[in-house]
Amino acid sequence: MENFIMHNPTTLHFGRSVVEKLAPIASSYGRRVLLVYGKGSAKRSGAYVDVLRQLKNINAEVFEFSGIQSNPLIEDVDAAAQLGREKQVDMIIAIGGGSVIDSAKAISITMPVIHSGWVFYAGKAKPSKAIPLIAVLTLAATGSEMNQFSVVQNHAAGMKNGFGHPLMYPVHSFLDPSYTLSVPRDYTAFGIADLMAHCLENYFGLGHAPLTDHFIFSILTEALEAGPQLLNDLDNYDLRARIMYAATMALNGLTTFGKGMGDWGVHSIGHHLSLLYGLPHGATLTVMYPAWMKLYQSALEPQLLKLGKHLFGLEDAGETIQRLESFFISIGCPVRITNSLPEGIDPKPLIDLMIRNRAGGNHYKFSPLQLEKLIDLAQI
Ligand code: NZQ
Ligand code: ZN
């Protein structure tokens, strides 16, 4: 087993109406708030009204930055950080899914500096200060609500990069599953796929920690069980709660302890599909995971056998890949690029960009030939 530190400073408030506890917590950070949200779902879900009511109770001054887009942009981060600086806010409150919370994390480390936030994501600097961030989650998927990571797109640089730093954990996160009742079927399924992919990225990392593998199998089993039930009953609070809890646990450290680094090669490829073709994050993963497992099937054989046994009672690596692929199909996710982009893609620009950006996992790297094969497997 690898050495590890277990420390997660985010205080998680989970359940019905937990946002009613936001006012005293927010007031402990000050009264000036930068409120960050997306294109309208914050209002539709009811979260926006509830948060504003809380902020009114403490006579907070609220400055809004809305319109954060899915697969968020560095330009929005920099503009919001500028607003936060001008208004000298004491805290940031993010209402939304991973894109909004990731942007808010980026804003929180960009506000104290004079350069673009991209400098952090390009690996050219580390933050030394962050504005406190409170997250109100409206979509179960990324785990951003309880981790230190954030992913941002920069079209000018041709990159979608992740960055993580201990200063980027939200100080408090409010998870009321009822805010996710308005998430449409497709994004509900993409969220289920994303949480499963976080388990798989960590499972296929190196390191031997059987207890952590059991945590991973449990979270995957929960997704396999509750996911389809939820997709047949989108208004069911308990099923929304089960998936929300699973998604947070899939990427808050629990699936990593003692295992060393996860692989994250599938995410790396997926980010390029989002960057070039605008595909939703979860959809990129259901397209690339089956292809990746097929590409590396012989190297992954022992781990695939163990996974198949625990999840499906199978004893065959190839069948395990098939079962996961069939599951993604059953919840309505694409498993080939052409399911999302019927005309297909020209692989060359994609492969060139991935080579330039050194796309690949921490353990499973890709030669140019392997990238070609991978994209082939994802197209046919
Ligand atoms: O823009 P709005 O109106 O808010 O609509 C959003 C968006 O269109 C909508 N939505 C959110 N809550 C809703 C809702 N619609 C109805 N009712 C609600 N309650 O859903 C759409 C997708 O939202 P988005 O935040 O983009 O989705 P997700 O949570 O999947 O986040 C994806 C981003 O997170 C990154 C991804 O790369 C991607 O950029 N990731 C972040 C990670 C992290 N911080 O740890 C790890 C992940 O692997 C991932 O890379
Ligand atoms: Zn993900």
Side-chain angles (χ1 to χ4, degrees):
M1 194 174 329
E2 302 293 324
N3 291 3
F4 63 93
I5 294 172
M6 196 182 286
H7 174 70
N8 191 314
T10 302
T11 303
L12 202 76
H13 306 257
F14 191 100
R16 242 186 249 281
S17 307
V18 284
V19 167
E20 283 171 19
K21 301 268 164 37
L22 188 141
I25 289 167
S27 68
S28 71
Y29 295 99
R31 279 188 53 255
R32 298 172 74 80
V33 178
L34 180 67
L35 187 66
V36 181
Y37 56 97
K39 294 186 187 287
S41 74
K43 293 187 177 166
R44 286 198 305 281
S45 67
Y48 175 87
V49 170
D50 291 349
V51 169
L52 276 197
R53 194 178 302 122
Q54 289 294 307
L55 294 177
K56 207 169 163 214
N57 288 345
I58 56 167
N59 292 320
E61 271 194 85
V62 180
F63 308 97
E64 298 197 7
F65 190 98
S66 62
I68 298 291
Q69 74 165 53
S70 198
N71 296 321
L73 302 175
I74 193 63
E75 288 83 355
D76 285 337
V77 167
D78 287 339
Q82 180 57 27
L83 178 66
R85 253 179 244 127
E86 276 165 25
K87 303 297 180 189
Q88 299 188 339
V89 301
D90 304 307
M91 79 198 86
I92 301 167
I93 298 185
I95 308 177
S99 296
V100 171
I101 298 174
D102 282 8
S103 298
K105 287 175 175 175
I107 297 162
S108 79
I109 53 171
T110 303
M111 261 185 65
V113 297
I114 48 165
H115 53 70
S116 165
W118 186 252
V119 171
F120 300 120
Y121 291 77
K124 294 193 178 132
K126 284 199 172 17
S128 53
K129 201 175 169 222
I131 307 301
L133 164 64
I134 296 175
V136 178
L137 184 67
T138 65
L139 197 164
T142 64
S144 186
E145 62 278 8
M146 203 180 182
N147 70 38
Q148 56 176 321
F149 308 113
S150 156
V151 188
V152 174
Q153 287 194 166
N154 182 334
H155 282 288
M159 290 176 173
K160 181 178 184 189
N161 283 6
F163 177 64
H165 189 278
L167 287 169
M168 290 159 73
Y169 284 96
V171 287
H172 287 265
S173 280
F174 291 85
L175 276 61
D176 182 341
S178 36
Y179 294 147
T180 65
L181 290 168
S182 54
V183 179
R185 158 176 283 275
D186 54 354
Y187 273 98
T188 302
F190 298 152
I192 294 164
D194 193 22
L195 84 86
M196 291 178 69
H198 297 159
C199 290
L200 294 173
E201 294 282 18
N202 284 313
Y203 178 69
F204 289 118
L206 296 186
H208 178 67
L211 177 60
T212 298
D213 282 348
H214 284 292
F215 291 151
I216 289 172
F217 299 146
S218 296
I219 297 169
L220 284 169
T221 304
E222 181 69 348
L224 292 171
E225 217 176 273
Q229 289 179 42
L230 172 57
L231 289 163
N232 285 326
D233 192 5
L234 290 170
D235 297 330
N236 187 313
Y237 172 90
D238 284 320
L239 292 169
R240 289 284 186 189
R242 283 174 65 179
I243 291 299
M244 196 178 220
Y245 180 30
T248 303
M249 294 301 121
L251 200 54
N252 71 346
L254 189 67
T255 54
T256 66
F257 300 130
K259 284 185 66 73
M261 238 189 288
D263 187 64
W264 299 100
V266 173
H267 269 69
S268 166
I269 303 292
H271 290 338
H272 286 84
L273 292 178
S274 292
L275 185 70
L276 285 188
Y277 312 106
L279 294 187
H281 176 62
T284 68
L285 303 172
T286 54
V287 166
M288 292 318 306
Y289 243 114
W292 181 84
M293 289 190 286
K294 286 171 198 164
L295 183 73
Y296 276 113
Q297 186 170 336
S298 53
L300 299 172
E301 179 95 7
Q303 282 167 296
L304 280 169
L305 284 174
K306 193 170 158 195
L307 184 73
K309 188 161 175 260
H310 278 87
L311 298 189
F312 307 118
L314 290 173
E315 293 192 355
D316 184 275
E319 275 182 49
T320 301
I321 298 173
Q322 275 314 321
R323 281 290 280 273
L324 281 168
E325 183 171 314
S326 304
F327 178 79
F328 292 147
I329 295 170
S330 76
I331 61 169
C333 288
V335 292
R336 296 290 182 276
I337 290 172
T338 42
N339 298 149
S340 293
L341 304 164
E343 66 288 4
I345 57 163
D346 172 5
K348 184 150 184 350
L350 173 62
I351 291 171
D352 287 350
L353 189 66
M354 291 195 292
I355 292 171
R356 196 200 74 181
N357 288 344
R358 297 201 181 90
N362 290 318
H363 311 301
Y364 297 97
K365 311 282 180 198
F366 305 117
S367 66
L369 207 67
Q370 281 172 312
L371 282 175
E372 253 178 61
K373 213 166 161 200
L374 188 69
I375 299 307
D376 255 9
L377 286 164
Q379 290 247 56
I380 48 167

